[in-house]
Amino acid sequence: MMSNDDTKRGSGILNSLKKLIFEDDQPKQASPAQTPPTTATNNTPERPRVTPSYPTATTPIATGKIPPPIPITANDGTTDLKEMKLKVYAILEKLNEQGVDFFEVWNAAAAMGKVEENTLKAAYTSLKFVDSSLSKDKLLATGTNYANKLKETIAKESEQKQAEKKRTEQDRTMEIANLNAEIKTITENIAKLQDDLQKKQLALGQVNEKYEPRIKDIEQKINIGNAAVDEVVTEINTALQMINQSIT
């Protein structure tokens, strides 16, 4: 049975990275009481506090598999980029492999306040004590794997959304065509069907208004979903570059 501590650790995976989403665009103005004391000449970053059971806090997924469906561009009304990024992080949590790899190092670096060379190196050094198999090559390989799986996920979902958009456009085209056909018939019998003709013309004039918001909403969700993935993949790539430069 999982202990309360295990449960807390499991629910806290990637919390540090998630918090950074809402801190990146806010200037940090620490009050005097909150300003951390400066150290004289020690530039070594503080090591993250990591317990040995942290790497197995989430259920691993077999390498190479796409995670269970967690729609990035789901029809839940979400159009905010930050909310989309939270969905992307949720997918990353499902992708987390067993053991300590790029996933844990990246999040541990974020827990120190910012993902940069010093924090990545400190997180790597600390977590290597948890899992001796951790190496630079493993970080680069697993980080690249996570990024590729995210891109596969959004590519598949974008394809589905494009198909949904196409079906909606076809429905619109078909409805316009049907209305035009009915209007032609009504026009031929205008003497007795004048009232019906006016109703159908009104319906035709409202077709674009009816479908346009839905089509724009689909396009927006596709764009926001791709933008969210692009930002997270860029973060991964930036971290990988810093790992490549700072970890030997």
Side-chain angles (χ1 to χ4, degrees), residues 26-60:
Q26 296 179 2
K28 296 181 179 180
Q29 299 178 348
S31 62
Q34 295 174 327
T35 304
T38 57
T39 55
T41 58
N42 186 7
N43 294 325
T44 303
E46 180 183 354
R47 291 181 176 177
R49 297 179 180 177
V50 183
T51 60
S53 59
Y54 174 79
T56 58
T58 59
T59 303

Side-chain angles (χ1 to χ4, degrees), residues 78-95:
T78 299
T79 56
D80 182 74
L81 180 59
K82 292 180 180 179
E83 294 299 324
M84 286 292 186
K85 287 181 69 174
L86 289 177
K87 291 186 177 183
V88 175
Y89 284 136
I91 290 179
L92 273 176
E93 290 174 331
K94 294 291 184 181
L95 286 169

Side-chain angles (χ1 to χ4, degrees), residues 11-28:
S11 62
I13 294 297
L14 277 189
N15 270 359
S16 297
L17 284 162
K18 292 175 182 176
K19 290 178 181 177
L20 289 184
I21 296 178
F22 301 96
E23 294 176 357
D24 286 344
D25 57 354
Q26 296 179 2
K28 296 181 179 180

Side-chain angles (χ1 to χ4, degrees), residues 89-109:
Y89 284 136
I91 290 179
L92 273 176
E93 290 174 331
K94 294 291 184 181
L95 286 169
N96 188 22
E97 302 283 354
Q98 187 174 16
V100 180
D101 59 12
F102 171 85
F103 189 97
E104 284 73 26
V105 172
W106 188 34
N107 191 52

Side-chain angles (χ1 to χ4, degrees), residues 80-216:
D80 182 74
L81 180 59
K82 292 180 180 179
E83 294 299 324
M84 286 292 186
K85 287 181 69 174
L86 289 177
K87 291 186 177 183
V88 175
Y89 284 136
I91 290 179
L92 273 176
E93 290 174 331
K94 294 291 184 181
L95 286 169
N96 188 22
E97 302 283 354
Q98 187 174 16
V100 180
D101 59 12
F102 171 85
F103 189 97
E104 284 73 26
V105 172
W106 188 34
N107 191 52
M112 297 182 216
K114 185 178 182 181
V115 178
E116 55 188 3
E117 291 186 11
N118 286 339
T119 55
L120 283 168
K121 192 169 184 178
Y124 168 78
T125 301
S126 179
L127 288 170
K128 194 169 178 63
F129 286 102
V130 178
D131 188 338
S132 61
S133 70
L134 191 63
S135 66
K136 175 181 177 179
D137 288 342
K138 183 177 182 180
L139 291 179
L140 295 175
T142 54
T144 300
N145 185 47
Y146 288 135
N148 288 339
K149 286 184 178 179
L150 279 177
K151 288 189 286 188
E152 289 173 12
T153 300
I154 191 61
K156 182 176 181 181
E157 189 169 329
S158 294
E159 183 178 353
Q160 294 171 344
K161 287 296 180 183
Q162 289 289 359
E164 180 183 350
K165 176 186 173 183
K166 185 176 181 179
R167 289 193 300 270
T168 302
E169 290 174 334
Q170 289 174 340
D171 289 342
R172 178 180 65 176
T173 300
M174 182 175 294
E175 186 165 345
I176 289 175
N178 290 338
L179 285 168
N180 278 324
E182 292 180 16
I183 288 173
K184 182 179 179 180
T185 301
I186 293 171
T187 302
E188 293 172 352
N189 298 281
I190 195 169
K192 64 176 181 178
L193 299 174
Q194 184 65 47
D195 184 62
D196 195 15
L197 174 62
Q198 292 175 350
K199 292 179 181 179
K200 295 299 180 181
Q201 287 175 327
L202 178 62
L204 176 62
Q206 295 175 339
V207 171
N208 284 329
E209 182 181 353
K210 174 182 176 182
Y211 284 90
E212 199 61 30
R214 183 178 173 188
I215 290 172
K216 288 183 178 179

Side-chain angles (χ1 to χ4, degrees), residues 70-79 84 87 157 161 164 217 221-222 225:
I70 305 179
I72 298 174
T73 58
N75 298 323
D76 59 359
T78 299
T79 56
M84 286 292 186
K87 291 186 177 183
E157 189 169 329
K161 287 296 180 183
E164 180 183 350
D217 182 60
K221 288 173 181 175
I222 291 172

